[in-house]
């Protein structure tokens, strides 16, 4: 058994105690466990489970309500979080009802969906919540039956004493258990005894999604609320004049107003707002830089050629390594701006009152929404409530609070509850994007094909540090120089699924294949040799990654994909570490009638313990599809501060028929769960690009692949094997 020892009673209460909101077993005098009892609604269960609190409550009916505090945007956290609580509780999953918690940082500490950090952060406290509840239930039964607690066992929401033959349901003991004092220490299960964790569990919202039950922000409606849509300016421009006469004449429009360089339309529903928005006549003028994609190409050249880059890492004597090299390999890789493009565009509801505000909608950062509203309104943050709806995607876009701020400002201005809705065009043209980056790589090889020097220079547009200087192959090469330089653009950018690594991995892994080819080395063997060197004598001190875990996924992916064993299959390899997790991938291409056909992608993932194989598989496959689709097709270009692509007719996304077979495997390294929402995406572009090169000898150094000259005559197809 693993034992958690709390240093103080106060610390325990803060994390999972009854007074601070970590755990409460609610109850009601009306108890009936008869299987013939009518199924209770969630409202009925909650009304009986008085005093329910942060993570769970148990009603006399035997129903267990488990709250999931983090926003759910398709990453399955609303299912996997409760699974952890239910595991330590020894609950019968059939008795569990899962509900989305509203914002309460005091109870839950981190209510954030981003950085693939939800499960690593909450793993221990979720287990603690379930285990503490189980302890109290057992203690209550022991007291009532007059037997030692050590002789009592639990299973599937039942309590048993073998010696006396007594048994009771959790509902039977809820009243007694709720009056007991929580322990200072609680024992957690040995993972070998897990019954729920590690088993496939369906998404708890499946039925509601399939039957069209309102779950998402766009579904939210309140009688009497107003609707608003906003015309935002091109990047780098400000309003010069507005002619809104025609827009105001549209039936259903109640007001049109200028607010902080935006034109806001207020109405009864979104349809008249969309019609009126098209009738606005707005003249803009420059307000600083107004950029086009041609400007960005020039800026990339200037930045990579400049001597103003910031040094991020230097190991050894780089100049000497390149001077003495038997061969030097150089290449540049570039990735474009990308829209997040979640299927649910931005939207939010706000009702600003005299000294409070009510916020409802899809946000990855509810605390940021509350903080932004408090600052705008000049009221205490505790006077603001945030109800989190299910998110129809996010990919980092909903880490921002700009659309929440809009709803708050409009509600305050019109003194009424309002829901601000973005159209698809608003979402693509007025959003915050994945930054564009260009990389320059150089590698020095000795006469034996060993990489003795490595240089990387990243030039970004609103990317910040476009490198990950401590990631592989740093630590595995004696002489390393990594630099970055950034241009401050009026085009807003934002974390995009697997920030920075989503395009850095493609570039690095493609370049490493180029180096392996020049060294006459197998790409897999080449990477493994570098990792063995890093293990034996890491350069620069402690590694920023676990070489053994990376080796583990590399070997598993090579084995499961039959790497190099079929002469009729051209394979591309890629491996990357991001967000605490290691993923290796192999893409298989076969030639059919003279054209390359992408048949399969094999993935090996080390994300620590897999909580829910169903959700994990969806995450890995979804990340691969996302990574492949954007590497192949995604592109956002600009002309005078406006995106050229405004909807899905021009902004190309991957289609279902273009998804190859995806085989998913996991490496059990014995670690606690690590992130999984993002890590499967970064390696995909490199694996596909390397397979294309193996099959066609065409090296794709720019994304999207489909727009590169080297790609035009390939006629790449994707087929399921």
């Amino acid at each position: 058994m693993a034992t958690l020892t709390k240093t103080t009673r106060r610390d325990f209460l803060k994390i999972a105690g009854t007074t601070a909101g970590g755990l409460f077993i609610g109850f009601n005098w009306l108890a009936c466990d008869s299987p013939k009892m009518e199924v209770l609604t969630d409202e009925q269960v909650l009304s009986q489970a008085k005093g329910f609190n942060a993570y769970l409550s148990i009603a006399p009916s035997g129903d267990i309500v488990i709250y999931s505090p983090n926003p759910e945007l398709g990453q399955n956290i609303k299912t996997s979080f409760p699974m952890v609580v239910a595991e330590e509780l020894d609950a019968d999953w059939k008795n569990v009802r899962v509900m989305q918690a509203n914002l309460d940082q005091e109870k839950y500490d981190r209510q954030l969906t981003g950085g693939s950090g939800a499960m690593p952060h909450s793993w221990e406290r979720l287990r603690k919540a379930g285990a503490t509840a189980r302890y109290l239930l057992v203690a209550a039964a022991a007291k009532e039956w007059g037997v030692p607690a050590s002789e009592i066992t639990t299973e599937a929401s039942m309590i048993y004493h073998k010696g006396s033959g007594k048994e009771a349901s959790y509902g039977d003991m809820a009243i007694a258990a709720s009056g007991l004092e929580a322990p200072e220490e609680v024992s957690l299960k040995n993972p070998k005894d897990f019954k729920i964790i590690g088993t496939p569990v369906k998404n708890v919202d499946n039925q509601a999604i399939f039957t069209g039950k309102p779950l998402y922000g766009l579904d939210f409606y309140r009688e009497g609320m107003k609707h608003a849509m906003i015309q935002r300016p091109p990047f780098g421009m400000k309003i010069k004049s507005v002619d809104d006469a025609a827009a105001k004449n549209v039936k259903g429009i109640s007001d049109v107003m200028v607010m902080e360089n935006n034109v806001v339309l207020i109405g009864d529903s979104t349809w008249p707002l969309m019609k009126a928005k098209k009738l606005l006549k707005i003249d803009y003028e420059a307000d600083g830089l107004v950029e086009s994609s041609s400007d960005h190409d020039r800026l990339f050249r200037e930045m990579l050629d400049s001597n103003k880059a910031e040094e991020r890492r230097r190991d050894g004597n780089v100049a000497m390594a390149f001077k003495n090299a038997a061969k030097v390999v150089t290449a540049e890789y570039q990735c474009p701006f990308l829209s997040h493009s979640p299927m649910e565009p931005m939207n939010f509801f706000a009702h600003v009152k005299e000294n409070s505000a009510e916020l409802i909608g899809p946000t990855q950062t509810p605390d940021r929404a509350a903080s932004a509203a408090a600052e705008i309104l000049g009221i205490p943050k505790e006077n603001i409530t945030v109800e989190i709806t299910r998110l129809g995607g996010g990919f980092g876009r909903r880490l921002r609070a700009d659309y929440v701020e809009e709803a708050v400002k409009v509600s305050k201005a019109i003194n009424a509850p309002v829901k601000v809705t973005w159209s698809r065009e608003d979402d693509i043209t007025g959003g915050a994007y994945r930054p564009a980056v260009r990389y320059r790589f150089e590698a020095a090889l000795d006469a034996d094909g060993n990489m003795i020097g490595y240089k990387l220079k990243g030039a970004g547009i609103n990317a910040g540090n476009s490198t990950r200087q401590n990631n592989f192959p740093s630590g595995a090469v004696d002489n390393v120089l990594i630099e970055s330089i950034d241009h401050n653009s009026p085009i807003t950018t934002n974390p995009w699924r697997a920030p920075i690594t989503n395009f850095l991995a493609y570039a690095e892994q493609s370049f490493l294949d180029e180096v392996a080819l020049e060294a006459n080395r197998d790409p897999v063997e080449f990477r493994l040799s570098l990792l063995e060197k890093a293990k034996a004598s890491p350069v620069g001190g402690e590694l920023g990654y676990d070489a053994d875990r990376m080796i583990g996924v590399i070997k598993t992916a090579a084995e499961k994909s039959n790497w190099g064993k079929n002469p009729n299959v051209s394979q591309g390899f890629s491996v990357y570490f991001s967000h605490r997790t290691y993923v290796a991938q192999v893409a298989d291409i076969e030639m059919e009638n003279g054209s390359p056909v992408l048949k399969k992608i094999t993935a090996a993932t080390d994300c620590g313990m897999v909580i829910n194989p169903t959700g994990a598989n969806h995450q890995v496959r979804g990340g691969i599809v996302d990574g492949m689709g954007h590497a192949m097709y995604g592109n956002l270009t600009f002309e005078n501060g406006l995106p050229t692509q405004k909807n899905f007719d021009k902004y190309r996304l991957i289609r279902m028929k273009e998804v190859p077979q995806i085989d998913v495997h996991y490496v059990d390294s014995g670690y606690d769960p690590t992130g999984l929402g993002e890590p499967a995406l970064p390696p995909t572009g490199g694996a596909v690009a390397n397979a294309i090169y193996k099959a066609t000898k065409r090296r794709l150094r720019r994304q999207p692949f489909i727009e590169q000259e080297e790609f035009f005559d390939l006629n790449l197809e994707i087929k399921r094997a």
Side-chain angles (χ1 to χ4, degrees), residues 52 75 144 159 170 251 313 326 368 377 386 409 425 440 483 502 518 550 637 642 653 667 688 705 713:
F52 65 90
Q75 83 282 32
E144 181 171 318
I159 309 168
Y170 282 1
K251 184 178 179 181
R313 179 170 182 143
R368 179 176 293 178
L377 300 174
V386 181
K409 291 174 182 177
E425 288 80 3
R440 179 175 291 168
E483 304 171 286
N502 54 54
E518 292 295 333
M550 188 171 280
T637 58
L642 269 179
L653 296 179
V667 176
V688 173
F705 299 160
D713 59 350

Side-chain angles (χ1 to χ4, degrees), residues 319-379:
M320 186 63 67
F322 276 84
K323 180 180 179 181
N324 296 332
K327 184 180 292 187
V328 173
V329 185
T330 63
E332 289 187 11
Y333 283 79
Q334 183 169 322
C335 310
F337 286 100
L338 290 178
S339 169
H340 296 77
S341 296
M343 290 310 297
E344 178 191 24
M346 301 303 105
N347 65 91
F348 225 80
F349 169 87
H351 188 186
V352 175
K353 304 170 187 177
E354 184 176 353
N355 193 40
S356 66
E358 179 187 16
L359 305 179
I360 301 174
T363 171
Q364 292 178 241
T365 51
D367 187 60
R368 179 176 293 178
S371 297
E375 183 175 349
I376 291 168
L377 300 174
I379 63 176

Side-chain angles (χ1 to χ4, degrees), residues 516-538:
L517 179 67
E518 292 295 333
N520 198 28
R521 307 269 293 274
D522 175 82
V524 170
E525 179 274 326
F526 181 66
R527 289 169 173 83
L528 288 174
S529 67
L530 286 170
L531 287 164
E532 291 295 344
K533 174 178 171 56
K535 278 181 58 179
S537 54

Side-chain angles (χ1 to χ4, degrees), residues 17 54 147 288 306 377 439 457 515 528 590 599:
V147 300
S306 79
L377 300 174
Y439 293 108
K457 191 174 187 179
V515 178
L528 288 174
E590 298 180 29
K599 290 290 189 75

Side-chain angles (χ1 to χ4, degrees), residues 232-235 290-291 429 637-646:
R232 300 164 189 86
F235 296 102
V290 179
E291 297 176 352
T429 62
T637 58
F638 290 83
E639 187 66 36
N640 295 323
L642 269 179
T644 306
Q645 301 79 8
K646 295 178 172 58

Side-chain angles (χ1 to χ4, degrees), residues 303-621:
M303 286 190 287
L304 287 177
D305 290 338
S306 79
N307 59 1
K308 297 180 180 179
E310 181 177 351
E311 185 175 298
R312 300 290 180 174
R313 179 170 182 143
R314 181 185 289 270
D315 295 327
N317 190 329
V318 179
M320 186 63 67
F322 276 84
K323 180 180 179 181
N324 296 332
K327 184 180 292 187
V328 173
V329 185
T330 63
E332 289 187 11
Y333 283 79
Q334 183 169 322
C335 310
F337 286 100
L338 290 178
S339 169
H340 296 77
S341 296
M343 290 310 297
E344 178 191 24
M346 301 303 105
N347 65 91
F348 225 80
F349 169 87
H351 188 186
V352 175
K353 304 170 187 177
E354 184 176 353
N355 193 40
S356 66
E358 179 187 16
L359 305 179
I360 301 174
T363 171
Q364 292 178 241
T365 51
D367 187 60
R368 179 176 293 178
S371 297
E375 183 175 349
I376 291 168
L377 300 174
I379 63 176
K381 185 177 170 183
E382 55 265 27
N383 291 8
I384 296 171
T385 62
V386 181
E387 181 178 328
I388 309 164
T389 64
R390 189 179 174 97
L391 288 64
F395 313 112
R397 176 62 182 90
R398 287 185 162 99
L399 290 171
R400 290 174 67 92
D402 55 326
Y403 58 102
V404 181
E405 294 170 4
E406 290 177 343
V408 171
K409 291 174 182 177
V410 174
S411 178
K412 180 182 179 183
I414 67 175
N415 194 29
V418 67
K419 181 176 177 182
V420 172
T421 302
W422 294 41
S423 67
R424 176 61 59 198
E425 288 80 3
D426 293 335
D427 201 54
I428 293 181
T429 62
Y433 312 109
R434 182 189 82 169
V437 171
R438 183 180 292 177
Y439 293 108
R440 179 175 291 168
F441 293 93
E442 299 177 64
L445 296 172
D446 66 14
D448 296 322
N450 299 307
M451 185 160 63
I452 58 174
Y454 177 78
K455 291 197 287 187
L456 164 62
K457 191 174 187 179
I461 298 175
N462 278 1
N465 176 16
S466 55
T467 72
R468 289 293 179 264
Q469 61 270 17
N470 297 324
N471 277 12
F472 178 77
S474 293
V477 183
D478 290 331
N479 307 287
V480 169
L481 175 62
I482 297 178
E483 304 171 286
S484 73
I485 185 169
D486 199 50
H487 165 68
N488 186 18
S489 169
I491 297 171
T492 55
T493 59
N494 203 57
W496 189 97
R497 193 175 189 179
I500 302 299
T501 61
N502 54 54
F503 44 85
L504 177 58
Y506 144 71
E508 282 184 340
Q509 291 297 306
S510 295
F511 180 67
L512 283 179
D513 257 42
E514 292 197 58
V515 178
L517 179 67
E518 292 295 333
N520 198 28
R521 307 269 293 274
D522 175 82
V524 170
E525 179 274 326
F526 181 66
R527 289 169 173 83
L528 288 174
S529 67
L530 286 170
L531 287 164
E532 291 295 344
K533 174 178 171 56
K535 278 181 58 179
S537 54
V539 180
E542 187 176 346
L543 294 177
Y545 52 91
D546 187 319
D548 281 319
R549 294 180 73 184
M550 188 171 280
I551 289 170
V553 294
I554 289 175
K555 290 184 175 180
T556 300
E559 175 193 350
K560 298 298 183 181
S561 66
N562 293 315
W563 174 260
K565 294 181 179 179
N566 188 340
N568 297 318
V569 178
S570 298
Q571 294 181 306
F573 183 83
S574 181
V575 62
Y576 216 75
F577 158 66
S578 69
H579 298 86
R580 309 173 184 85
T581 290
Y582 299 78
V583 183
Q585 295 177 17
V586 176
D588 288 2
I589 286 180
E590 298 180 29
M591 300 299 292
E592 293 184 1
N593 300 319
S595 296
V597 179
L598 179 59
K599 290 290 189 75
K600 182 173 68 172
I601 294 177
T602 302
T605 300
D606 180 354
C607 58
M609 182 180 297
V610 176
I611 303 296
N612 182 1
T614 298
N617 290 343
H618 291 166
Q619 285 291 76
V620 174
R621 291 191 173 104

